[in-house]
């Protein structure tokens, strides 16, 4: 049987790349840096499968460059807003992603970010490192309690639910919102459905766990921030595009909300001279929600399994419903 041709757009852990090199003719971008777009457009021509990351835009241009041989796109991410789903559907190309394996890890990061933002941890470490740690003062670096607070989740999918479960230990009241109620998941984690306006008005912490799509793009606008409490903390570990960042900056500077913790921004990387970076009340992490050795390895291997299944004509272990 002749080997399939696949493109792999980034250096991968051994466990993920070995089976591909064994079973396929691989055009392997063996580098930590993203593949150059023009190279990707050349390499994808005539390929049967594409292994990509969230840094690659999969659109008509790329799919046209690939031509009719392309059967599967496997992305090493659970989110697939970088993929034009309609363009895949039109060509009957399968899409594989990595749900499940990063749920707890990403929820842990959301919790870490919430704690870091509420308790002002980066300001504290900066004071120690810069030699500006004064003697103990009653009100210096005072933050906000998590216990007893109301936490509003925008999205009660896998990650939102895991985050809610973790918050169980803090005795929080948990609200959630989304396109529809999820009574079973909500019961399991002790969350109560609320329309988004109620959630924004009543929450001490608002945490975003929804995918980026046409309904959620710039959902957090100036209007949304103005509905929140002036003491509220905003946490986003989903996608930067969910937030109007200029509006967030204004809300933080004008005291419409107290603080924000972001693991995702638009663009990524966020330039160091971006106005949000200058704010003490904005904690920004470099999109590391799923970044543990175990989880990233599982994601990489799962993507390999999706890719190989697709090029070998088997059902993908994890496929996105494109209908
Ligand atoms: C994803 O998988 O979509 C995350 O953003 C990266 O782990």
């Amino acid at each position: 049987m002749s080997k399939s041709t696949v493109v792999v757009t980034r250096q991968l852990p051994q466990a993920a790349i070995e089976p591909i090199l064994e079973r396929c003719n691989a055009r392997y971008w063996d580098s930590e840096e993203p593949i150059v777009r023009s190279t990707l457009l050349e390499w994808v021509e005539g390929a049967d499968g594409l292994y990509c990351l969230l840094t690659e835009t999969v659109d008509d241009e790329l799919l046209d460059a690939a031509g009719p041989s392309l059967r599967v796109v496997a992305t090493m991410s659970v989110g697939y807003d970088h993929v034009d789903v309609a363009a895949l559907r039109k060509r009957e190309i399968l899409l594989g992603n990595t749900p499940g394996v990063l749920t707890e890890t990403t929820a842990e990061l959301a919790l870490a970010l919430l704690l870091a933002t509420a308790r002002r941890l980066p300001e504290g470490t900066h004071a120690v490192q810069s030699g500006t740690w004064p003697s103990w003062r009653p009100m210096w670096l005072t933050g906000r309690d998590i216990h007893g607070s109301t936490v509003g989740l925008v999205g009660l999918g896998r990650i939102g639910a895991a985050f809610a479960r973790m918050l169980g230990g803090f005795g929080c009241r948990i609200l959630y919102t989304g396109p529809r109620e999820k009574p079973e998941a909500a019961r399991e984690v002790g969350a109560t459905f609320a329309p988004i306006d109620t959630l924004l008005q009543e929450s001490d912490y608002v945490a975003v766990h929804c995918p980026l799509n046409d309904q959620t793009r710039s959902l957090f606008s100036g209007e949304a921030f103005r509905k929140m409490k002036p003491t509220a903390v905003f946490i986003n570990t989903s996608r930067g595009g969910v937030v109007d960042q200029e509006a967030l900056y204004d809300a933080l500077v004008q005291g419409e909300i107290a603080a924000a913790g972001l693991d995702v921004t638009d663009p990524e990387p966020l330039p160091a001279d971006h106005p949000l970076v200058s704010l003490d009340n904005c904690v920004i992490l470099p999109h590391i929600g799923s970044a543990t050795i175990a989880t990233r390895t599982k994601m990489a291997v799962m993507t390999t399994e999706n890719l190989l299944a697709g090029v070998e004509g088997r059902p993908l272990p994890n496929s996105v419903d494109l209908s």
Side-chain angles (χ1 to χ4, degrees):
M1 201 174 86
S2 69
K3 286 184 172 182
S4 303
T5 298
V6 299
V7 175
V8 180
T9 63
R10 198 68 68 88
Q11 189 173 82
L12 299 177
Q14 275 308 106
I17 192 63
E18 257 170 28
I20 298 176
L21 297 179
E22 263 169 41
R23 285 154 63 178
C24 305
N25 291 319
R27 300 169 183 164
Y28 179 30
W29 185 260
D30 187 4
S31 164
E32 285 275 40
E33 297 307 318
I35 189 167
V36 176
R37 177 79 179 176
S38 55
T39 306
L40 176 57
L41 292 175
E42 269 173 42
W43 281 17
V44 83
E45 187 186 340
D48 303 291
L50 171 65
Y51 186 126
C52 69
L53 274 56
L54 48 74
T55 43
E56 280 85 53
T57 302
V58 179
D59 54 8
D60 274 317
E61 180 191 39
L62 181 67
L63 300 175
D64 285 345
S69 56
L70 193 67
R71 274 178 279 162
V72 60
V73 173
T75 181
M76 192 190 139
S77 58
V78 66
Y80 50 88
D81 47 283
H82 54 297
V83 178
D84 182 340
V85 166
L88 288 190
R89 190 188 311 121
K90 189 166 74 188
R91 294 170 175 82
E92 297 184 10
I93 297 170
L94 302 172
L95 176 62
N97 70 340
T98 64
V101 289
L102 47 67
T103 302
E104 304 294 325
T105 302
T106 307
E108 283 176 8
L109 191 280
L111 185 59
L113 184 56
L114 183 140
L115 286 163
T117 309
R119 298 300 303 272
R120 306 174 61 182
L121 302 190
E123 288 175 80
T125 52
H126 180 257
V128 176
Q129 285 165 350
S130 63
T132 55
W133 176 5
S135 64
W136 196 93
R137 295 177 183 175
M139 296 308 285
W140 185 60
L141 280 188
T142 46
R144 288 157 210 288
D145 287 320
I146 316 295
H147 64 270
S149 67
T150 296
V151 180
L153 308 177
V154 179
L156 191 69
R158 289 187 186 84
I159 298 171
F163 181 65
R165 214 173 294 119
M166 289 175 191
L167 283 171
F170 291 84
C172 299
R173 168 184 177 232
I174 298 174
L175 303 177
Y176 78 100
T177 197
R180 62 183 183 287
E181 293 194 36
K182 296 187 167 179
E184 208 172 306
R187 200 172 318 113
E188 198 204 312
V189 300
T192 306
F193 182 82
I196 186 151
D197 283 359
T198 310
L199 180 140
L200 295 177
Q201 283 155 9
E202 294 190 8
S203 297
D204 300 299
Y205 297 91
V206 173
V208 184
H209 296 287
C210 60
L212 175 63
N213 54 37
D214 291 345
Q215 285 71 49
T216 61
R217 192 173 304 281
S218 297
L219 178 66
F220 283 87
S221 58
E223 203 189 330
F225 290 121
R226 279 189 291 278
K227 287 178 183 153
M228 289 168 62
K229 298 182 183 182
T231 50
V233 174
F234 174 73
I235 301 294
N236 186 12
T237 53
S238 70
R239 286 291 184 267
V242 170
V243 180
D244 173 343
Q245 289 180 167
E246 273 180 38
L248 174 60
Y249 177 83
D250 290 344
L252 289 167
V253 168
Q254 288 161 19
E256 284 166 2
I257 65 169
L262 312 174
D263 183 43
V264 286
T265 58
D266 186 11
E268 291 179 1
L270 192 67
D273 61 358
H274 190 282
L276 281 173
V277 178
S278 67
L279 300 180
D280 281 344
N281 59 348
C282 189
V283 177
I284 306 179
L285 301 177
H287 202 150
I288 53 171
S290 61
T292 65
I293 298 165
T295 293
R296 285 284 169 85
T297 305
K298 281 185 207 156
M299 290 167 69
V301 169
M302 200 163 167
T303 308
T304 295
E305 287 163 357
N306 281 334
L307 178 82
L308 293 176
V311 297
E312 291 168 4
R314 292 177 282 112
L316 308 197
N318 284 283
S319 63
V320 175
D321 182 0
L322 301 180
S323 59

